[in-house]
């Protein structure tokens, strides 16, 4: 039997999904990611690279990298790589070949057929070119389906008695609004609108400008003038943007940037969510025109829409979601990861066509974030809310004290910033950690959730490979109302949580500065003038006193004073 596979061949990211035991799931690629960047590059030696590796080299050799090829599908556009011309189909085939290989590695079977998605507005030539690309990659296309249809299938909307669905898709470089009508079990496209030059990249670019201006003010150097540095800033900005979707603030750090006088510098800057929302408000405004247009074309009012489905990674931005809610006066569907929902829907369609699915397809997600308590009582998220299960993720932690041979792990779920405000799921201990100075041990904490929602958490000290863990069964999972309650509370306390996290982080920085100073004094024992030694000790005392009094502004000021002094000496 041939397995049902669905592929979302996106402008910026592509996704492959399969049906396994009657459930749709995303297949991780060889790099362990759910999303594969739709990027192709060629090395100086003539080797083809696809996905994250290709994206990485784009900063060093943009002339040998191809991005966003989907924009040219169905045209006679050609790209030149290492002296050879390629059609858009050929470039897309490189991406599809990698997706095929990764699916085969995961399933252990050869992959022959797939359902592939395209935007609803794609014309015949563009659809034909997509088929050709698949053929070149050795994939037989069982059906080409529209992306908004796939998203609706992932939510099982074809099985509900509903009439009209609006799919709102904001991806990396494009924005599409589609209105679908369900009749006789088939989705008909009633209206499409959008902007093919508006997407997450524009939000990234705003952050790039903001940070570049900040550095210009700070060090008097415009880093936009150096293409490699600019690309590094672009990557850091995209990361900061993603963080701002679930945190009130983000920091970027660019180590070793060359400055005017030839001295390398570490550039650091931060931004909070409200500033980010301010500098991108006109971009949100631009989303309204096509939305109104699609509504007008369909001759429907907001009240007549039965469902609004959010698609595309950029709809993770809270301000974008709010805009949708304000516009349509209803809560949009976003339970399935918006950047995976089209791929999942393609797999569902493949499953139906290949007779693998008869009942309802289940797409399960983690209702709340899972993580552990870390230094200062902070909550470290390891698996974010709404990840499709089964899933796994890990993070490396280190010892907070010198010679710490035992580490306690407290597992929690919830959306609050401080561990104490979240729901405790269990605790365990890792013993026999080798005796090491603070910050030197490497302990990997791994979370795994299986198809039944059973959570396994393990911790492993990477050098000695000592390992232990805990299993938390599904009985701890909450009802839908309880989950909603948790999320409402997190939203209500967002401001207060943010300042508490800020305070905890200030204390952690102060603590580590004191330790750094102690180490410094130890190392320089006998080499420092007694005056310098005395100055450092006084600074340390001042900082410790501030810590005991708990005034964040004073702690921060004195941490900085101590840091400056250590740097000078
Ligand atoms: P495509 O345009 O290929 O369909 P996606 O739907 O995967 O791609 O969207 C990619 C965009 O989503 C990128 O601009 C990426 O930065 C953005 N994105 C992904 N995660 C987040 C997030 N947490 N917050 C904000 N933007 C995000
Ligand atoms: Mg997409």
């Amino acid at each position: 039997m041939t397995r049902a596979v669905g592929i979302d061949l996106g402008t910026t990211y592509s996704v492959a999904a399969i049906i396994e035991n009657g459930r749709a799931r995303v297949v991780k690629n060889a790099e362990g990611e759910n999303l594969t960047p739709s990027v192709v590059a060629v090395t100086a030696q003539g080797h083809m690279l696809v996905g994250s590796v290709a994206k990485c080299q784009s900063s060093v050799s943009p002339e040998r990298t191809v991005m966003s090829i989907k924009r040219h599908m169905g045209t006679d556009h050609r790209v030149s790589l290492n002296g050879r011309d390629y059609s858009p189909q050929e470039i897309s085939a490189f991406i599809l070949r990698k997706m095929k290989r990764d699916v085969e590695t995961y399933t252990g079977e050869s992959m022959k057929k797939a359902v592939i998605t395209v935007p609803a507005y794609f014309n015949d030539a563009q659809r034909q070119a997509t088929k050709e690309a698949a053929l070149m990659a050795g994939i037989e296309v069982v059906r080409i389906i529209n992306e908004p249809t796939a998203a609706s299938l992932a939510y099982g909307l074809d099985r509900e008695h509903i009439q009209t669905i609006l799919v709102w898709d904001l991806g990396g470089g494009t924005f599409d609004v589609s209105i679908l009508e369900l009749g006789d079990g088939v989705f008909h496209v009633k209206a499409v609108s959008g902007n093919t030059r508006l997407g997450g990249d524009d939000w990234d670019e705003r952050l790039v400008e903001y940070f570049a201006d900040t550095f210009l003010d700070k060090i008097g150097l415009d880093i936009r003038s150096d293409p490699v540095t600019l690309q590094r800033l672009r990557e850091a900005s995209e990361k900061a943007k993603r963080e701002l979707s679930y945190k009130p603030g983000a920091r970027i750090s660019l180590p070793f940037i060359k400055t005017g006088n030839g001295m390398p510098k570490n550039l650091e800057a931060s931004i909070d969510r409200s500033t980010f929302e301010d500098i991108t408000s006109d971009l949100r405004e631009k989303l309204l025109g096509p939305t109104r247009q699609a509504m007008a074309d369909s001759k429907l009012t907001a009240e007549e829409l039965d469902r609004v489905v959010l698609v595309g990674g950029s709809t993770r931005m809270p301000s974008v979601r709010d805009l949708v809610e304000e516009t349509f006066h209803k809560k949009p569907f976003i339970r399935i990861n918006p950047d995976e929902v089209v791929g999942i829907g393609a797999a569902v369609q493949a499953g139906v066509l290949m007779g693998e699915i008869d009942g309802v397809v289940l797409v399960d997600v983690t209702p709340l974030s899972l993580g552990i308590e870390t230094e200062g009582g902070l909550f470290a998220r390891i698996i974010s809310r709404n990840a499709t299960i089964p899933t796994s993720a890990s993070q490396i932690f280190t010892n907070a004290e010198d010679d710490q041979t035992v580490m306690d792990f407290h597992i929690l779920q919830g959306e609050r910033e401080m561990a104490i405000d979240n729901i405790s799921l269990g605790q365990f201990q890792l013993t026999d950690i080798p005796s090491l100075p603070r910050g030197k041990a490497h302990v990997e904490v791994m979370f795994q959730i299986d198809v039944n929602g059973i959570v396994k958490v393990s911790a492993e000290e990477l050098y000695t490979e000592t390992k232990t863990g805990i299993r938390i069964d599904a009985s701890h999972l909450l009802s839908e109302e309880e989950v909603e309650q948790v999320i409402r509370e997190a939203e209500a306390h967002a401001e207060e949580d943010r300042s508490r996290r800020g305070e905890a982080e200030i204390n952690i920085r102060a603590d580590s500065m004191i330790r750094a100073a102690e180490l410094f004094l130890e190392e320089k024992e006998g080499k420092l003038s007694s005056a310098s030694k005395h100055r450092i000790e006084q600074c340390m005392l001042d900082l410790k006193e501030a810590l005991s009094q708990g005034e964040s502004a004073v702690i921060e000021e004195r941490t900085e004073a101590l840091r400056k002094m250590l740097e000078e000496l």
Side-chain angles (χ1 to χ4, degrees), residues 8 10-14 35 38 169-174 199-201 204 238 241-243 245-246 311-317 338-339:
D8 165 15
T11 311
T12 48
Y13 289 94
S14 296
L35 312 184
S38 306
D169 180 349
L170 185 61
T174 55
D201 296 348
D204 298 351
E238 199 219 348
K241 175 188 74 175
R242 289 175 188 247
E243 261 181 60
S245 293
Y246 56 90
V311 178
S314 304
T315 59
R316 283 208 164 95
M317 289 186 277
D339 35 23

Side-chain angles (χ1 to χ4, degrees), residues 258-431:
K258 280 212 194 69
T259 61
N261 56 16
M263 286 289 286
K265 248 194 179 300
N266 298 341
L267 297 186
E268 291 205 2
S270 57
I271 184 166
D272 59 28
R273 192 191 279 166
S274 65
T275 310
F276 174 58
E277 290 178 351
D278 282 349
I279 60 172
T280 52
S281 64
D282 61 313
L283 294 176
R284 283 196 301 283
E285 195 67 30
K286 278 192 178 174
L287 299 166
L288 294 175
T291 307
R292 283 193 207 107
Q293 185 65 50
M295 292 299 289
D297 292 350
S298 70
K299 304 198 170 56
L300 291 169
T301 61
E303 287 64 42
E304 287 169 298
L305 293 172
D306 296 306
R307 297 276 185 267
V308 175
V309 174
L310 289 190
V311 178
S314 304
T315 59
R316 283 208 164 95
M317 289 186 277
S319 55
V320 167
R321 280 187 208 183
D322 291 347
L323 179 76
V324 174
E325 213 174 316
E326 270 163 37
T327 310
F328 300 109
H329 318 293
K330 34 173 86 63
K331 276 235 173 285
F333 273 37
I334 198 159
R335 190 171 47 88
I336 303 175
N337 275 341
D339 35 23
E340 296 175 3
V341 66
V342 169
I344 286 177
V348 170
Q349 176 72 80
V352 171
L353 289 173
M354 291 159 122
E356 267 186 54
I357 299 177
D358 37 2
V360 182
V361 189
L362 295 174
V363 183
D364 286 345
V365 299
T366 53
L368 292 174
S369 303
L370 289 161
I372 64 167
E373 177 170 351
T374 60
E375 222 185 328
L378 291 174
F379 174 60
R381 258 188 197 74
I382 298 189
I383 292 182
S384 292
R385 182 165 110 68
N386 282 348
T388 37
I389 60 171
T391 186
S392 64
S394 70
Q395 212 167 304
I396 309 254
F397 292 90
T398 186
N399 49 337
E401 307 287 336
D402 290 333
D403 305 317
Q404 187 181 346
T405 55
V406 175
M407 266 167 106
D408 288 305
F409 293 94
H410 186 188
I411 318 302
L412 303 130
Q413 70 177 348
E415 307 307 319
R416 303 284 299 271
E417 297 288 345
M418 303 302 292
I420 194 168
D421 297 321
N422 288 320
I423 301 158
S424 172
L425 293 182
Q427 307 206 8
F428 69 94
Q429 218 173 36
L430 180 66
T431 53

Side-chain angles (χ1 to χ4, degrees), residues 168-229:
W168 210 86
D169 180 349
L170 185 61
T174 55
F175 170 50
D176 301 320
V177 188
S178 320
I179 297 175
L180 308 179
E181 208 169 47
L182 185 66
D184 312 323
V186 181
F187 292 98
H188 301 278
V189 180
K190 275 206 83 172
V192 287
S193 185
N195 183 340
T196 54
R197 296 276 159 192
L198 181 64
D201 296 348
D202 298 293
W203 272 256
D204 298 351
E205 235 19 69
R206 285 296 159 83
L207 279 179
V208 167
E209 292 300 315
Y210 177 85
F211 288 128
D213 287 343
T214 310
F215 294 142
L216 186 60
D217 276 353
K218 262 194 191 167
I219 57 166
L221 180 85
D222 194 350
I223 64 176
R224 278 166 287 223
S225 57
D226 174 34
V228 175
T229 312

